[in-house]
Amino acid sequence: MKKTVLIAVASLALLTGCSSTDEPAASEPNVPPATADGNGLKSQGLDGPERSDRGNLIAEVGKATGYSIDGTQIVDFVVTSIVVDPVCTGETAVPPENGHFVVVNMEVSTAPELADDKNPYFMPDNFDVIAANGTNMNGIPYTTAAGSCLPSNEMITMTMGPGEKAAGSVVLDVPTPSGTLILDDFADNENWEFEYPTATAAA
């Protein structure tokens, strides 16, 4: 009798192990989590946002970007267009001193939490310029001529504090009609690169 019971138990174990009705446990999806990493609406890869050889974020005209601190979005902005050699409409407009005007049109908003940053302000007009051959511009792109190209009420504010919004233009006086503009966050949180001219630019 004992032998018959053991055989029955063994047979049941074999049938249970071979059953096709058992389903494997569900595994976690292999998808990176969404994070507030300061790159706005730009899509992210597994290695993070795309950067240049200079270590700056590569930004695009028309795509929102910005930066966050400790998971809180602090600054959001979008460059809506970059115009090379625009028609100046300022009453005292004069030709560029360095060769070409480049107008950067942008919209910016800052969060109240910017007040907690080490430098609690954002400078949307703080651009450096690199020529198409990779050479840094000598001198500065903020000439008297650049300041005269557009009416003052079209120029974006130079410095923004916490909880503010602004929209306007930055005029740069540059030596070459193509190259790279680097928006340098004065607080050293992030830098962004924009190539110019762009497909969306219009004179």
Side-chain angles (χ1 to χ4, degrees), residues 1 21 60 65 87 140 154 170:
M1 178 64 178
T21 59
E60 299 179 33
T65 186
V87 175
I140 60 173
E154 295 183 16
V170 178

Side-chain angles (χ1 to χ4, degrees), residues 56-97:
N56 304 319
L57 284 175
I58 297 178
E60 299 179 33
V61 171
K63 299 289 184 66
T65 186
Y67 70 87
S68 63
I69 297 178
D70 296 330
T72 299
Q73 196 73 10
I74 301 298
V75 173
D76 286 295
F77 71 90
V78 58
V79 170
T80 56
S81 64
I82 299 176
V83 184
V84 180
D85 295 328
V87 175
C88 292
T89 55
E91 291 184 0
T92 60
V94 296
E97 298 175 18

